[in-house]
Amino acid sequence: MKDVMDFVKKNLGLDEDEEQKEEQEPIIVPEHSFYEIVLMKAKNSEDIDYAIAQITEEKNPIILDLSYLENESPDDLRIAGEKLKALRKEKGVEAILLCQNGKNIVIITPPEIKLIRKD
């Protein structure tokens, strides 16, 4: 019976007060409409600089494979580690090592995205 009454009220325009209340509710719009998660293998320091630009300028999280640097260019790996450490300290980004068994894979996110570690 209630459904019939609601149908009649709606068709007769007696339901306008409820519709106006619904229309007055605030709309929440996110600052960043979507995030692109960048997956990449770092092969030199330019790749690290690109990853840092994605995080700081574009506000996109990045999953970074550092295995190549570890095996082929330990100096570049050390520089990458220093850059990531400075980035965490200065900009408040988060970085977590995802995998270490033969591959060093790190996820790095801008401060707007929080990583939660669950054990």
Side-chain angles (χ1 to χ4, degrees), residues 1-2 6 29 43 58 75 79 85 97 112 117:
M1 183 70 171
K2 184 178 188 292
D6 289 341
V29 179
K43 295 188 178 180
E58 301 295 326
D75 289 336
I79 292 169
K85 185 177 179 179
L97 183 65
E112 295 84 12
R117 297 176 193 172

Side-chain angles (χ1 to χ4, degrees), residues 2-76:
K2 184 178 188 292
D3 294 334
V4 173
M5 291 302 292
D6 289 341
F7 178 77
V8 171
K9 283 182 183 179
K10 187 174 182 180
N11 286 334
L12 294 176
L14 300 174
D15 212 8
E16 291 177 1
D17 291 336
E18 291 179 14
E19 288 178 15
Q20 287 176 355
K21 287 179 186 176
E22 290 177 2
E23 290 176 12
Q24 293 175 355
E25 290 182 22
I27 298 173
I28 299 172
V29 179
E31 288 179 27
H32 201 281
S33 59
F34 64 93
Y35 293 99
E36 294 177 359
I37 299 176
V38 180
L39 307 171
M40 68 177 288
K41 287 185 179 183
K43 295 188 178 180
N44 52 42
S45 61
E46 288 84 23
D47 290 344
I48 299 299
D49 293 336
Y50 174 78
I52 290 171
Q54 281 294 308
I55 295 162
T56 58
E57 295 170 14
E58 301 295 326
K59 307 292 185 203
N60 289 323
I62 189 160
I63 298 174
L64 187 61
D65 185 350
L66 298 170
S67 303
Y68 183 85
L69 291 180
E70 180 182 28
N71 297 329
E72 302 297 325
S73 182
D75 289 336
D76 281 345

